Amino acid sequence: MSQRAYNDLWADAQLELSRILAEEQPAEQPQPQKDRVVFFQRVAMLYVRYIQILRKLQKAHELIIHPQKRRAIRKVIDSVMGRVVELKNEMVEKEFLEYHYMDDILHDMKLTPDKLEIPLPQYFPNDHSKEVQERKAMLMKIFKMVEATEMFYVTVKMTQEEAIRVIQVAERARQGRMRSKLYEESREASLRSTNAGIESTELAAICIQKVWRGYIQRKKTKIERVKELIALGMVMDPKYLAPRPAEVALLAAEACTRLKQQEHEAAYQKAVVAVTIQLREMEGNNMSNTLKSQVREWFFKCRNVTGSFPDYPDEEDGGSAFIFAEKSPQQEEAGLKMHPSAFLSDLEGADKTFNDFWRSRDETENLSQKHDVELIKEERRKVVEDEIRVQLVSEMLHLSHACELLYIKKLFRFHAPPSGDFNYLGTTLRQNDIEPMPSLSDVRQVISLYAILPLGSQVVHEKAPLIKSILLVGPEGAGKKMLVHAVCQETGATLFDLSPLNTAGKYPGKSGLAMMVHVVFKVARLLQPSVIWIGDAEKMFYKKVPKEEKELDPKRLKKDLPKSLKLIKGEDRVLIIGTTEDPMSADIKSMCKMYNKILLIPRPDYGSRYIMWKELINQKGGETTKALDLSSLAKISDGYTPGHMVKAIQSVVTERRIRQQGSRPLTAAEFVTPLARIDPVFQEQEEALKNWYAKTPLGRKRVKAATGKEEEQPPVKGKGAKKKT
């Protein structure tokens, strides 16, 4: 695709954005919707449409090479991501559920389920790649220093006799193993030669013919079956599996486009520096004179009205910018049932900028799509004005002081989402009063909205509903820890481990504990975005500490950690993620106070298991041929988690087995035995987790909503209350 095609894609996204903004902010405010289902459908429709806009904008941002256009698109992407998070929060508050099913909306909009996936911007990891490499280098130096220190103190000298004795023991053991192996091989060979009978030539020939004819017929049958499946459209023709020349050319063109992006970005940064210096030299004096007259006029106008010079505006009020700000009447609050949005005004501004400047811009002479110097001047002129204004007001403050002007005096760990299918019957099941378990695709979407987008974008984190902590609840091997690492990988976040087992015995005493928490949160802010992981989160809120864990003191962070959690603000991209597989052993009230969001991680359904078996086997080096019945494997592995699947694959797909695949392909039967050695997640365990979740604040609201009691108020007790007779 050419740059013109990507510009058209951007224009299409902006056109759809203009339409949706007109619907969200009509001239006459709509009446509050009393029907909860109708209201949810409206919000869900907006949610899906914003996701489609986000997809188009991200595609355009990835492949447009004009540096100033990419900056304009990125501003819109940040605001659209924030609006998606806001709409998700609206759906949670109105439906009292963390997982939502929109298969009916997808059907109405003629969209496939993959269009509901939250697209994660490529610039999230790219922005932090340099910082991550620097932190890794710093940690490697620290680890080497610690290792060298330990080597210095732990080195133990060994005498020559002791060294010879160790070598002798190892060599004698090796020779014994070799003798035993040779003995077994010779014994088996002798047994085979003794028991071998003498068969006639005809019987031997018949046996060979039987085996050979059977092999040939099975091979022909497999070929005919594949042809039939290809004719029915159920299997892809092998000639289409290899990348086509057009696909290879497209990938090469995209790689070339990214190289051009880097070149144009470097040229743009140089031009910004040069233009800023030029503006300071050419226009700085005129700006200074203009601003001086405005400041002087403001000071003396206030003195004439009040009789004294005014106080310098606080930074919270805008600082020196308050003097030059245009005063406008206070805007009225929108009468919508949805919460006021912090992003709609930004989206309107970005839409106006696109329509006024970029849509009608003639770029026939800018075929290379390089930066516009005049546009840089307009942007940097504001920066230079701000610099001069701050300097000027500082000087005026010193002068006004002589005229009686009053003034007002981040435990480091670095890491380099589980797959799953869409829940196609979620809406249908809920309409029949059956609450479906979320699929792994649903989990991935929620993690993207609650963790990845806010940690990756400062704008989203500051303006969207603030989420400070998330608790992931699920059986062993469900992928909770992998989700934590995925969040760090996608956002380039620093990972801190405050799990009870990791902090046991470290920083003893109350003062030591306070110091540890203080240092972790301080460094987490300095190296943000940061994730503070608490494994086995239930241990911190034990109802009764087991005897074998009393020495570990797992509840030592119960008081200090929530206090530090309250100090996290919108500008701090720090997120606490707890993981637990046994929440029933914890005090639910204390745990729910600690975590804003509680997400239930289920065992995978059939569709998710089918995809995961295929992907995990391929990752390990295995080949998924026709001999491997993935459908049967996904069916018999019902109740097993992704962790269980990984263990089974590791025991089967060894290096030796990988080398044998050419002559003996993998089969489903090979994975049955390793699975049989592992206990699955039984239905009782899953029901226990669901019953526990129903006792959480959001779970209780959902139960009340299902029974139609969400609007009921508790009876008023007091002097006016009537007593029963």
Side-chain angles (χ1 to χ4, degrees), residues 21-176:
L21 287 173
E23 293 178 20
E24 284 220 73
Q25 295 183 318
E28 295 184 4
Q29 298 296 341
Q31 293 294 325
Q33 181 58 249
K34 295 182 179 180
D35 192 330
R36 189 181 295 275
V37 176
V38 174
F39 180 79
F40 175 81
Q41 288 291 321
R42 177 175 179 269
V43 177
M45 183 71 76
L46 291 172
Y47 174 82
V48 175
R49 290 173 64 186
Y50 270 114
I51 290 178
Q52 307 318 306
I53 293 172
L54 185 58
R55 286 183 171 278
K56 292 182 179 180
L57 289 171
Q58 288 193 16
K59 183 68 173 177
H61 180 270
E62 286 176 19
L63 296 170
I64 283 178
I65 62 177
H66 195 296
Q68 289 153 307
K69 289 182 180 178
R70 297 182 76 238
R71 276 167 171 73
I73 296 172
R74 179 162 174 172
K75 289 181 180 178
V76 186
I77 289 176
D78 283 339
S79 297
V80 171
M81 288 192 302
R83 187 59 183 147
V84 169
V85 174
E86 285 182 336
L87 291 172
K88 173 66 177 180
N89 188 61
E90 290 283 350
M91 292 190 292
V92 171
E93 289 188 359
K94 301 304 182 292
E95 205 180 26
F96 309 119
L97 289 167
E98 297 288 0
Y99 301 104
H100 311 287
Y101 303 103
M102 306 174 191
D103 33 305
D104 53 340
I105 296 175
L106 291 176
H107 182 268
D108 294 341
M109 297 179 69
K110 295 180 173 57
L111 296 174
T112 53
D114 61 291
K115 300 299 182 184
L116 205 56
E117 287 284 346
I118 306 298
L120 303 178
Q122 290 295 322
Y123 59 78
F124 276 4
N126 293 342
D127 285 354
H128 300 283
S129 59
K130 187 176 180 181
E131 295 178 12
V132 170
Q133 293 301 323
E134 291 175 354
R135 293 174 192 169
K136 283 184 177 180
M138 177 187 69
L139 283 179
M140 290 305 296
K141 289 182 180 178
I142 295 173
F143 291 154
K144 285 181 180 178
M145 291 169 59
V146 173
E147 193 175 316
T149 306
E150 290 178 351
M151 289 277 293
F152 179 77
Y153 287 107
V154 179
T155 301
V156 178
K157 291 184 178 180
M158 184 181 292
T159 64
Q160 186 176 4
E161 292 179 358
E162 290 174 336
I164 292 172
R165 193 178 298 116
V166 170
I167 295 172
Q168 286 176 341
V169 170
E171 178 61 20
R172 287 167 181 166
R174 186 190 69 81
Q175 291 178 4

Side-chain angles (χ1 to χ4, degrees), residues 474-480 581 641-644 647 681 685:
E476 180 186 0
K480 303 181 290 297
E581 59 188 61
T641 63
H644 297 154
K647 289 180 180 178
V681 178
Q685 186 178 352

Side-chain angles (χ1 to χ4, degrees), residues 223 225-244 247 626:
I223 294 172
R225 176 174 171 77
V226 171
K227 288 181 179 178
E228 182 183 5
L229 292 174
I230 292 173
L232 294 173
M234 298 177 68
V235 173
M236 181 73 73
D237 195 327
K239 66 181 181 181
Y240 296 122
L241 294 176
R244 311 298 292 172
E247 294 176 343
K626 299 298 178 185

Side-chain angles (χ1 to χ4, degrees), residues 6 18 43 105 143 206 265 386 459 462 478 526 559 716 720:
Y6 298 128
S18 300
V43 177
I105 296 175
F143 291 154
I206 291 171
E265 178 66 23
D386 289 342
V459 176
E462 289 182 0
L526 291 172
K559 294 182 179 179
V716 179

Side-chain angles (χ1 to χ4, degrees), residues 2 20 156 175 216 334-335 365 415 458 511 516 521 569 628:
S2 64
I20 203 170
V156 178
Q175 291 178 4
I216 292 295
E365 297 182 1
H415 295 276
Q458 185 72 44
S511 59
M516 179 181 70
F521 276 84
K569 299 179 181 178
L628 180 57

Side-chain angles (χ1 to χ4, degrees), residues 18 102 124 134 197 329 362 371 433 445 498 549 610 652 670 714:
S18 300
M102 306 174 191
F124 276 4
E134 291 175 354
D362 184 12
H371 59 266
D433 296 328
Q445 291 180 35
L498 282 185
E549 295 186 22
Y610 185 95
V652 173
E670 295 180 68

Side-chain angles (χ1 to χ4, degrees), residues 3 7 63-71 261 264 358 361 363 366 368-372 375:
Q3 289 297 302
N7 286 327
L63 296 170
I64 283 178
I65 62 177
H66 195 296
Q68 289 153 307
K69 289 182 180 178
R70 297 182 76 238
R71 276 167 171 73
Q261 283 179 351
H264 288 196
W358 292 107
R361 186 175 175 82
E363 292 193 315
N366 188 18
S368 62
Q369 290 291 288
K370 290 187 176 180
H371 59 266
D372 187 331
L375 186 57

